[in-house]
Amino acid sequence: MIKRISLLIFAFLVVMLMVSCKNTKQKLQEYVVSYNAEAPNFKSDVVTLTTARGYINDNKIELRFETDLEQNESNKKMSEASFPLLLKEMFKKNQIPKELIEEGVIFHVYFLADDNTVFVHEVINKEVLSKFL
């Protein structure tokens, strides 16, 4: 009798665990929602706005960092030097979750000038993840 009850409890727990596990698409969607909710609190010297957009069918997240910098060569060089440091800091703070990348989600990250032209575009996937850790 106790064996049967234990077996039923174990089966119930296994079913509950399987139901409560989130798949990658759900995690991607939750990340985008939470990132955008926290975006107003993002702190950086030149970033005026940051947003995330998820592409569930493509397993892709696009992060945009809008700045107040004018598009010119000196600002572009400064951005190319400072943007990877910003991304590394975001990984340290888990603002870009390594877990999603390991599950196959690809991040397209854009650092934009004040006119929304691109200073730097990084594609972060499993192959280049170690560069930012």
Side-chain angles (χ1 to χ4, degrees):
M1 182 70 169
I2 293 178
K3 258 185 165 177
R4 193 174 283 224
I5 291 173
S6 298
L7 186 59
L8 284 173
I9 291 173
F10 177 73
F12 176 75
L13 290 174
V14 167
V15 168
M16 290 302 293
L17 181 64
M18 291 176 70
V19 168
S20 67
C21 290
K22 296 176 187 169
N23 66 31
T24 303
K25 292 180 189 292
Q26 290 169 320
K27 290 177 189 177
L28 183 152
Q29 193 170 17
E30 285 180 2
Y31 171 77
V32 169
V33 169
S34 68
Y35 184 92
N36 287 330
E38 291 295 317
N41 302 326
F42 188 83
K43 303 285 187 230
S44 176
D45 293 339
V46 295
V47 175
T48 57
L49 176 69
T50 181
T51 57
R53 181 179 293 156
Y55 299 90
I56 293 174
N57 293 331
D58 296 332
N59 246 13
K60 174 177 128 178
I61 294 175
E62 183 179 281
L63 298 180
R64 296 171 48 95
F65 295 89
E66 297 178 18
T67 70
D68 55 4
L69 300 173
E70 183 181 325
Q71 179 65 273
N72 60 44
E73 198 56 38
S74 70
N75 284 338
K76 184 171 178 67
K77 287 182 181 181
M78 185 272 302
S79 298
E80 289 170 348
S82 65
F83 190 52
L85 300 175
L86 173 67
L87 294 176
K88 285 181 183 182
E89 188 64 30
M90 290 181 73
F91 272 103
K92 281 184 189 174
K93 294 178 180 178
N94 203 33
Q95 292 171 318
I96 300 176
K98 183 175 81 168
E99 173 188 343
L100 279 177
I101 296 168
E102 290 171 343
E103 290 181 21
V105 175
I106 299 170
F107 280 76
H108 286 261
V109 190
Y110 299 89
F111 199 67
L112 305 172
D114 61 354
D115 62 356
N116 279 334
T117 56
V118 177
F119 278 132
V120 185
H121 172 223
E122 289 280 351
V123 177
I124 304 172
N125 56 27
K126 290 179 190 178
E127 288 76 31
V128 300
L129 181 59
S130 61
K131 172 179 158 183
F132 297 100
L133 299 178

